[in-house]
Amino acid sequence: MDNMKQIVDRARVAFNSGRSRPLEFRMQQLKALERMVKEKEKEIAAAIQADLNKNEFNAFNHEIMGVLVEIALFLNKLPSWAAPQPVEKTLLTLTDEAYVHHEPLVVVLVIGAWNYPFVLLLQPLIGAIAAGNAVVVKPSEVSEHTANLIAEILPQYIDKELYPVVTGGVPETTELLKQRFDHILYTGNSLVGKIVMEAATKHLTPVTLELGGKSPCYIDKNCDIEIACRRIAWGKYMNCGQTCIAPDYILCDQAIQDKVVDVIGRTVKEFYGEDVKKSPDYERIVNKRHFKRLMGLLEGQKIAYGGEADEATCFIAPTVLTDVHPESRVMQEEIFGPLLPIVTIKNTDEAIQFINQREKPLALYVFSKDNKLVKRMIAETSSGGVTANDVIMHFTLPSLPFGGVGNSGMGAYHGRHSFETFSHRRSCLIKALKMEGVNKVRYPPSSQKKLDWAKFFLLKRFDKGKLGLIALAFLGVIAAVVIKVVFF
Amino acid sequence: MNPYTGRVSCLRASWLSGKTRTKEYRVSQLEALGRFLDEKKNVILDALAADLHKPAFEAELSEIALCSNEVNYAINNLYGWMKDEYVDKNLATQLDSAFIRKDPFGVVLIIGPWNYPLHLVLVPMVGAIAAGNCVIVKPSEISSCTEKLLAELLPTYLDQDCYAVVTGGPQETSQLLENKFDYIFFTGSPGVGKIIMEAAAKHVTPLTLELGGKNPCYVDNSCDLQNVANRLVWGRCFNAGQTCTAPDYVLCTIETQEKLIPPLRQAIMEFYGPKPKESPDFGRIINDKHFKRIRALLDSGRIALGGQTDECECYIAPTVLADVKPCEPVMQEEIFGPILPIVTIANVEEAINFINSRERPLALYAFSCNCKVVNQVLDSTSSGGFVGNDTMMQMTLITLPFGGIGYSGLGKYHGKFSFDTFSHHRACLLRSMGLEKLNYLRYPPYAHRSLGLLLSSLDIKRKGTCTLL
């Protein structure tokens, strides 16, 4: 177990060498990562298939593509993101340099999840590398083929001391969490999220927690139910429901419940054929433990569609449950499987109340043709993110921050938000040793006149154009001379 | 039965009711805060004088003016800050509406320290109110007059449905922390910061910790030493040294040390006269416990200037300690008093190594006429903030983010950074029900469909910067 300390210490020493700081180095590492993803695409897809029974198309679509898009974005934008950002100044600081400088945090820990074992590890890694950090990468042991592959190929392409991969289960992760990091990004469930934050407390380490919860999906009566249900079925049953932002349950009026079931059923047949088990496009539950957990949630429920299961292959068919009671087990935990409960409510007010009585979800979905209703749902609830009239899609836009709120998480990443998450924004104010006359307004001994001048110089800000600035700088110099004469 | 659960629930209900949602409401509360600072100025100054013997000049500037500034800045900019921030879209979302919505978190807890008991509670509060949260404020019980003032007067200005002041000591604070908050903002020591973070972890509550540390101050050989001395003494002695961003110790060569002492003497003389104890512009240590703590630190190096103390008044004179060794008491903890130790080093590289072998500070200062040296220190170190050729001035620029790194803190605030700290940035994507045909690319079954198309889109990516999804 000394090993963990050695790995982290080595990463810190590698950072202290200074090599991860220059922009060129970071760009080069990102390019190497891109090469890795492209050259090892087949191996990556094969590992994901072995872990989740996911076919090559899905592996590419769900995971590999997201990583390539993120790298391309960073290669394009990193130079501008990393440049110092000047800020508006006060009169007293007018001739100074004032800016925010993005600096590395130093050693970052990224803990991945098993449901999208590649993208949920690589996307944060990209941001952390881009911000100049050393990064310890810990893939989930549950998706062991992907974990082993990453441990094998990452060091072949990027700096192995700066970006070590640590594999292992709970004991290894516990030991890793005892070490001191400068930021930890964890993706997984709330229970372990708490443990990670508690461990981070020992070293006052900031954390980003990408957790989960029950993402509600409200279907208004006034909407194209065919289209809505097709989109919902796609998002719910992809990866066999094992997606943190899958629509967890539906809220809708009793009057449309039957139609919803009907359309979802037809859509499932369209997607996966008559015998879902034979479809090459449908994944499996990751392991027996989760399979049993999900079967437990079915107890006592009205199965309106689906429900078939086969423990030997961890297969659970796309399933819809109707007239679900809000207090039943399936409504008490994040489902993370292909069971879609429908809870009936009378109207939008009740839906909003229902959502607000529960923990803030990672995602909120609302389907309606009425724009006002959509806006109202967003305004009167809280969630990590929202997609209206579709599901999942807000995840795919890197300009949107991806993260939770309340029990569903804290912090965010993707694109520039990753860069910000893994950087320290250092305030820099560079003055000259001259113009001491002006400084005298702030020194004792005090007087009312000095106070008034001090307030003026220190607090007045200017957003005029360049000409205005020159005029004001001139005014500042005059004022300095006046003060010097008046007071001294 | 937790004594604060009822209050927290009431505030949460107010937040859920949507009362704090509108810009008009938030502005009205901010304006009320502004009026409080204006109308009760004298009462505030009296409380600060009673707590810290705070000179009126310092109090007006650092506690009242800086707070009013934040209030006005927030009112002036709130509309822009609250607006949905539209973001770049990709090909698949071209026809959609994609923006970041700034949502309040809910119920925010702000725990303040005793050294700037008004500022360090009200400035975060401005951000929390502006972002639409309900707020519970817990001022420090050590600055008891200001605590009493806030508890009595703030509820007469602000809407009691949404904002509350809670008083008490460590026990009351622990009980308060057992409740679930949606954001916690703490200013104080790293030791207590850990306790706060532990409490926050139980509810997975995000937080900002504004802590402290030892802020190094490198003084180069090539310098106008009188100006350096003025700025050093001002920074060190403001509020009798009880400022988280005060220069904590000086690093310079032996030659510079000797040359620096006379200008330091002159600066102290000019600012506080021959008897600083009699100057109305010099503060006192907050209480007996801290007085004794700081007095014990005098047993380090040699007293080059000052060194006088008076226990009855909790007075410690502006003091400079020379030839201090790194192992001595004054170099083991954040001083938080008007003592400036000088540690000698051979050159700037040694100074940089000295700084880097310690915890990252809240602020770092470097003085040199040679801007290359200033930049060298900046580039080779890490700290919350950095000022070249002055001390503490980064606090006066509302456009700079204020916060620490490592043990000196996590998170940032001031100005817009406060608003951002207290808002949840919610990703929103509004799509239409139309153009469903385009979505078919993503639906199963895949076998006879678009792998080829998708792969050719990959080809486009290899050559240029076009991204399909």
Side-chain angles (χ1 to χ4, degrees), chain A residues 88 231 360 399 427 433 442, chain B residues 88 105 227 390 399 401 436:
Chain A
E88 220 182 274
R231 296 179 183 187
K360 296 177 197 169
S399 49
S427 302
L433 271 173
R442 73 193 207 215
Chain B
D88 288 341
F105 277 107
N227 286 354
D390 210 333
T399 47
E436 181 63 358

Side-chain angles (χ1 to χ4, degrees), chain B residues 84-328:
Chain B
D84 289 335
E85 198 184 308
Y86 285 86
V87 300
D88 288 341
K89 294 182 283 198
N90 54 29
L91 208 57
T93 48
Q94 266 316 303
L95 302 172
D96 305 327
S97 186
F99 57 90
I100 301 173
R101 163 68 54 90
K102 319 293 172 68
D103 275 348
F105 277 107
V107 181
V108 167
L109 172 63
I110 295 173
I111 302 177
W114 51 258
N115 58 333
Y116 291 85
L118 197 82
H119 175 129
L120 293 176
V121 142
L122 291 193
V123 169
M125 197 179 190
V126 166
I129 293 175
N133 298 285
C134 289
V135 190
I136 293 188
V137 153
K138 161 68 191 78
S140 171
E141 72 283 9
I142 295 175
S143 41
S144 53
C145 300
T146 314
E147 180 201 36
K148 190 157 170 278
L149 178 120
L150 285 169
E152 272 170 17
L153 293 181
L154 224 50
T156 65
Y157 281 84
L158 299 176
D159 184 345
Q160 292 187 51
D161 280 349
C162 299
Y163 312 106
V165 181
V166 162
T167 58
Q171 194 188 9
E172 287 78 9
T173 310
S174 296
Q175 286 176 315
L176 191 54
L177 283 168
E178 281 166 20
N179 292 286
K180 177 174 172 156
F181 289 93
D182 303 300
Y183 202 94
I184 297 177
F185 187 100
F186 169 78
T187 307
S189 72
V192 181
K194 276 190 193 169
I195 297 173
I196 306 288
M197 194 168 170
E198 265 160 26
K202 289 191 176 53
H203 299 287
V204 190
T205 300
L207 74 173
T208 292
L209 300 175
E210 295 279 332
L211 310 175
K214 292 183 77 60
N215 303 322
C217 188
Y218 171 70
V219 178
D220 197 32
N221 294 339
S222 69
C223 270
D224 179 340
L225 288 178
Q226 188 57 61
N227 286 354
V228 174
N230 291 345
R231 297 169 193 199
L232 270 177
V233 171
W234 176 73
R236 178 73 278 189
C237 296
F238 199 95
N239 204 29
Q242 297 160 118
T243 310
C244 51
T245 48
D248 190 274
Y249 64 96
V250 168
L251 288 168
C252 64
T253 59
I254 293 182
E255 299 80 41
T256 303
Q257 178 184 248
E258 294 320 309
K259 285 195 216 148
L260 191 54
I261 293 173
L264 285 169
R265 183 181 292 116
Q266 189 181 333
I268 294 172
M269 175 69 97
E270 263 177 40
F271 291 0
Y272 308 113
K275 292 188 184 153
K277 203 172 166 191
E278 288 165 18
S279 164
D281 296 320
F282 188 70
R284 296 291 182 267
I285 304 305
I286 180 79
N287 62 21
D288 204 48
K289 174 173 143 212
H290 279 280
F291 170 84
K292 290 193 165 103
R293 176 189 66 79
I294 300 168
R295 188 175 60 183
L297 300 178
L298 286 170
D299 191 18
S300 312
R302 65 175 164 89
I303 298 179
L305 297 172
Q308 301 86 1
T309 66
D310 179 349
E311 190 163 344
C312 303
E313 281 197 42
C314 285
Y315 165 79
I316 295 184
T319 300
V320 175
L321 302 174
D323 298 324
V324 174
K325 293 193 190 44
C327 54
E328 293 188 285

Side-chain angles (χ1 to χ4, degrees), chain B residues 51-69:
Chain B
D51 280 330
L52 285 144
H53 198 273
K54 201 176 277 233
F57 183 93
E58 288 186 1
E60 273 228 49
L61 204 56
S62 66
E63 300 253 26
I64 297 181
L66 283 177
C67 285
S68 298
N69 202 39

